[in-house]
Amino acid sequence: MIDWLFPPAPTASLPIKGSTQRFPVRRILCVGQNYAAHAREMGHARAEPFFFSKPADALVVDGTDPAWPTATANLHHEVELVCAIGEDGGIVGWAVGCDLTRRDLQAAAKEKGRPWDAAKGFDQSAPCGALTLGDLPDAAAPIALTLNGEPRQSGRLDDMVWSPVEILAKARELWDVRAGDLIFTGTPEGVGPLVAGDRVEATIEGLEPLSFTMRAK
């Protein structure tokens, strides 16, 4: 038995649709600029996607409202398809996620050529809906986000530059991808700012929806 200096943090996990089991989350990898229209709105040409990461404890499950993060005046929403990696190293399930981004910190990091960790990997920056096991219901499904009931982001999964299978292959070139890893696969155009009290509803047809309200500081 290991004699811990203090009790270790509980394992981050996602609920699974139709099951009492939960999916233990090991880490979160994210793909940047994987929808051509979003790349253009961020001032970049269509190109091979790149990766950044969030810690597993950034996860916020559906039904929990994330707190407004510190050190930002420009927090953005980014709805995404999330892939879950199973024991065989393949994609075992799918979910709706939202990559919360401290856009002002990201812009400052880009300008100085610095990493994006503080802009992307902060506390409660990865809201995610329940996992649906099996094949993706529709590879061309609509993906959308509404803010206080008003449409903000919309697209189709087949708008992605790189498919989930291609993204997984790319990730394996960089990491030992294992069971418990989540991959956020990029966001369509329409990203924009949030304020405290905003209600976010994110959907992908055929998957469990994600909804949350940004709590005040």
Side-chain angles (χ1 to χ4, degrees):
M1 182 176 179
I2 298 175
D3 184 15
W4 300 108
L5 179 62
F6 51 85
T11 300
S13 66
L14 282 177
I16 299 172
K17 178 183 178 182
S19 175
T20 58
Q21 293 183 311
R22 295 184 71 89
F23 180 87
V25 177
R26 177 173 174 258
R27 64 179 165 193
I28 301 172
L29 302 175
C30 307
V31 176
Q33 298 169 14
N34 193 33
Y35 288 74
H38 172 58
R40 287 194 297 270
E41 78 177 347
M42 297 303 293
H44 301 281
R46 178 172 175 163
E48 180 174 333
F50 57 90
F51 290 87
F52 56 92
S53 65
K54 295 174 182 276
D57 65 4
L59 195 70
V60 179
V61 298
D62 184 55
T64 303
D65 296 331
W68 187 269
T70 59
T72 186
N74 191 16
L75 182 70
H76 276 209
H77 57 75
E78 299 187 9
V79 61
E80 311 208 6
L81 172 68
V82 179
C83 308
I85 306 304
E87 290 182 286
D88 65 354
I91 300 171
V92 71
W94 313 85
V96 180
C98 187
D99 169 17
L100 296 179
T101 302
R102 293 195 277 207
R103 193 70 75 200
D104 42 1
L105 271 62
Q106 185 188 36
K110 285 180 177 180
E111 183 178 354
K112 297 177 181 178
R114 293 177 177 175
W116 292 5
D117 298 61
K120 290 286 193 177
F122 54 92
D123 297 340
Q124 301 184 52
S125 62
C128 193
L131 196 65
T132 298
L133 298 181
D135 294 335
L136 185 62
D138 182 356
I143 177 172
L145 181 143
T146 64
L147 185 61
N148 303 319
E150 296 294 326
R152 287 293 183 269
Q153 289 186 261
S154 65
R156 291 162 50 101
L157 296 183
D158 58 2
D159 292 336
M160 285 193 284
V161 178
W162 295 84
S163 72
V165 171
E166 291 171 323
I167 290 168
L168 177 55
K170 287 285 183 182
R172 286 193 179 119
E173 295 175 6
L174 300 170
W175 293 279
D176 179 15
V177 179
R178 297 186 183 182
D181 290 348
L182 295 179
I183 303 178
F184 280 55
T185 60
T187 193
E189 64 183 318
V191 301
L194 297 165
V195 298
D198 276 346
R199 182 67 176 174
V200 174
E201 295 182 347
T203 58
I204 296 173
E205 190 173 282
L207 300 180
E208 294 297 286
L210 167 68
S211 60
F212 59 90
T213 300
M214 289 303 308
R215 291 191 286 118
K217 298 178 184 179

